[in-house]
Amino acid sequence: MRNKSVSILIFLAVFLTASSKAVNPKDHLGEIYKVALNSIMEKDEALSSGMRFIAVDMSNFDKLDEKVKEEIIIYLKEKYKVDVMDATFEELKEKGYYNPDTLALDGVLLRIEDIDFPFNNHFF
């Protein structure tokens, strides 16, 4: 019985210590965006078949500095072996990446509207 009580106390001590050191996901936004963008690409193989480029609309990535944005671009470029750029749909049209005959882009445009952080902005 005493061993069981000691085991429970050790478990509670470890659990409470781990819980008090919660990770703030906002400190890891670059990694979170990489995972999210990659999961979009992997969800639909039709997205990546025959694509000439990947454009990521980072116009609303307000909390990311330029270094982290560049890391995201490099990650996608190395993973998918195509040109990757930070551009909105309008910018892609201006650059000639939009085909008015097919009403489609010659590549993929990824945009994340919002990221919701559960657990009061902390992951456990």
Side-chain angles (χ1 to χ4, degrees):
M1 181 69 171
R2 181 181 171 143
N3 285 340
K4 188 174 183 180
S5 296
V6 171
S7 296
I8 291 172
L9 285 173
I10 291 172
F11 173 77
L12 286 173
V14 170
F15 178 76
L16 291 174
T17 302
S19 295
S20 68
K21 295 183 180 181
V23 175
N24 185 348
K26 292 180 181 180
D27 294 338
H28 304 280
L29 282 177
E31 292 301 316
I32 292 169
Y33 277 107
K34 284 180 194 177
V35 170
L37 293 167
N38 190 51
S39 70
I40 294 168
M41 291 297 296
E42 290 179 351
K43 187 170 183 127
D44 187 355
E45 289 184 23
L47 275 178
S48 57
S49 64
M51 70 179 167
R52 292 188 13 218
F53 67 87
I54 297 173
V56 182
D57 182 348
M58 297 186 186
S59 61
N60 65 341
F61 289 18
D62 301 329
K63 296 185 169 97
L64 295 183
D65 60 32
E66 292 304 314
K67 181 179 181 247
V68 175
K69 289 178 182 180
E70 187 62 29
E71 288 172 3
I72 292 170
I73 289 172
I74 291 168
Y75 168 78
L76 292 171
K77 185 179 286 190
E78 289 174 355
K79 177 144 178 101
Y80 294 100
K81 310 290 188 230
V82 294
D83 287 333
V84 180
M85 65 190 91
D86 174 7
T88 64
F89 181 71
E90 291 76 23
E91 291 169 337
L92 292 171
K93 283 174 69 174
E94 289 173 9
K95 293 178 181 181
Y97 290 108
Y98 177 76
N99 185 334
D101 296 331
T102 62
L103 302 175
L105 294 169
D106 296 327
V108 176
L109 173 60
L110 302 174
R111 178 172 170 80
I112 297 176
E113 291 292 324
D114 191 24
I115 293 182
D116 185 26
F117 296 105
F119 305 113
N120 295 325
N121 295 331
H122 288 80
F123 285 83
F124 296 99

